[in-house]
Amino acid sequence: AQSVTQLDSQVPVFEEAPVELRCNYSSSVSVYLFWYVQYPNQGLQLLLKYLSGSTLVKSINGFEAEFNKSQTSFHLRKPSVHISDTAEYFCAVTNSGGYQKVTFGTGTKLQVIP
Amino acid sequence: DTGVTQSPTHLIKTRGQQVTLRCSPISGHKSVSWYQQVLGQGPQFIFQYYEKEERGRGNFPDRFSARQFPNYSSELNVNALLLGDSALYLCASSPEGDRNNSPLHFGNGTRLTVT
């Protein structure tokens, strides 16, 4: 069985300040890791993914996440947030084998304060 | 390129009734998955269908069923609705259902309210 823990349900941060959204996962097998973003009244959109290779992955809009196998973490960071980053962020994990079942965390609401 | 489309967008049903939700995947995508997102929580896996066959099922009662059609569209059926079934139901498609490194592409969901 696999699980995802997002300890912070809400993170308020001032515009242009850095932010880190924490994610820890648990799995007995190799995993793929994802961050999805959900804007109000919309579905989820893929932000970035870790499949293999370099442990630091980046999105096109300035977010990055680092896979840390020893700490079973996949924290999301951005050095300078914008108002438009206000949304809910979900960390997700799926096993490298078997059927495509993605397990999501409970989400972190990022509120960017002007 | 049209994304994943779901219908209806909103639905209000009474306890005990039955509901059918519909999903059209991105053109060329052969895998469709269904997720339930209760307010304040992350999405929970219900089903995955690939090439018209069920590949996986989450921890949901038999009141939940689904199918995939030859054009890869899908329906989710829920019988004997309970108040706890009120949620946002998300459909997601991916190009291939046998490669777990394919990201999911989500529709905007169907908001089901059971009264």
Side-chain angles (χ1 to χ4, degrees):
Chain A
Q2 56 199 21
S3 65
V4 178
T5 301
Q6 292 181 251
L7 290 174
D8 305 308
S9 60
Q10 294 190 55
V11 174
V13 61
F14 286 103
E15 194 174 15
E16 298 184 5
V19 69
E20 178 181 82
L21 307 184
R22 295 179 293 169
C23 171
N24 288 89
Y25 70 93
S26 174
S27 177
S28 58
V29 298
S30 297
V31 297
Y32 300 125
L33 293 159
F34 307 86
W35 276 98
Y36 286 84
V37 58
Q38 186 175 34
Y39 298 100
N41 301 313
Q42 293 188 24
L44 283 73
Q45 302 173 28
L46 178 69
L47 188 60
L48 46 75
K49 60 186 178 184
Y50 171 78
L51 304 180
S52 64
S54 173
T55 57
L56 183 65
V57 292
K58 300 182 178 183
S59 72
I60 58 174
N61 57 352
F63 283 95
E64 63 180 36
E66 186 158 20
F67 170 58
N68 188 319
K69 188 174 182 179
S70 63
Q71 297 187 5
T72 59
S73 67
F74 191 54
H75 301 330
L76 181 69
R77 301 184 182 93
K78 189 172 186 180
S80 176
V81 297
H82 302 286
I83 293 290
S84 59
D85 294 325
T86 296
E88 189 157 21
Y89 293 78
F90 292 92
C91 183
V93 62
T94 186
N95 290 339
S96 58
Y99 59 88
Q100 193 177 34
K101 173 187 176 182
V102 179
T103 300
F104 289 85
T106 51
T108 298
K109 290 183 179 177
L110 174 62
Q111 182 184 6
V112 180
I113 305 166
Chain B
D1 190 19
T2 305
V4 177
T5 58
Q6 293 186 243
S7 63
T9 55
H10 294 81
L11 204 52
I12 299 175
K13 290 286 189 178
T14 305
R15 278 176 297 177
Q17 286 188 316
Q18 175 265 342
V19 67
T20 298
L21 311 181
R22 296 176 175 82
C23 172
S24 292
I26 292 173
S27 178
H29 285 195
K30 298 179 180 179
S31 173
V32 170
S33 299
W34 287 95
Y35 287 78
Q36 180 196 64
Q37 186 178 17
V38 173
L39 195 62
Q41 297 185 19
Q44 297 289 318
F45 173 78
I46 310 176
F47 287 110
Q48 187 211 358
Y49 276 78
Y50 177 56
E51 290 285 12
K52 301 178 288 296
E53 293 196 1
E54 180 183 306
R55 294 204 75 230
R57 182 188 182 110
N59 188 24
F60 281 81
D62 291 343
R63 298 184 297 107
F64 289 75
S65 63
R67 55 179 175 169
Q68 187 177 33
F69 299 99
N71 66 354
Y72 302 109
S73 67
S74 177
E75 287 183 350
L76 174 70
N77 296 285
V78 186
N79 294 322
L81 285 167
L82 303 174
L83 294 179
D85 295 331
S86 296
L88 180 68
Y89 288 85
L90 294 165
C91 174
S93 73
S94 63
E96 299 169 12
D98 56 353
R99 295 179 59 181
N100 292 353
N101 58 3
S102 295
L104 298 175
H105 299 259
F106 284 87
N108 287 337
T110 294
R111 173 74 62 189
L112 173 64
T113 302
V114 182
T115 62

